[in-house]
Amino acid sequence: MFDTNLLDILCCPETRGSLKMVDAVMLSALNQAIAAGSLTNVAGEKITEPFEEALVTEDGSRIYPIREGIPVLLADEGVLLPLGA
């Protein structure tokens, strides 16, 4: 599980904006898109593993996965929003 105390020091690698935890509704939508095979990351790679947790930029433009409690803050691993765009 991700330590939310780290949110004070983490930022988006692209926008340098603040990050917050993805809520349950958005997480469900992301995982539905993954199950449908329609979610890709910025690098264009299809995402196949469901997200257990994720971070979203303050402006809601990008999402970054959290894997085994570790945020993956690599620009190419981000997902651009809105979904389906």
Side-chain angles (χ1 to χ4, degrees), residues 33-48:
I34 291 168
S38 61
L39 193 66
T40 59
N41 61 22
V42 172
E45 298 168 340
K46 188 175 285 190
I47 298 171
T48 58

Side-chain angles (χ1 to χ4, degrees), residues 26-42 44-51 54 63 65 77-85:
M26 185 178 286
L27 192 62
S28 177
L30 286 166
N31 286 330
Q32 286 175 3
I34 291 168
S38 61
L39 193 66
T40 59
N41 61 22
V42 172
E45 298 168 340
K46 188 175 285 190
I47 298 171
T48 58
E49 295 294 320
F51 289 177
I63 290 182
E77 293 285 329
V79 175
L80 296 177
L81 295 180
L83 294 178

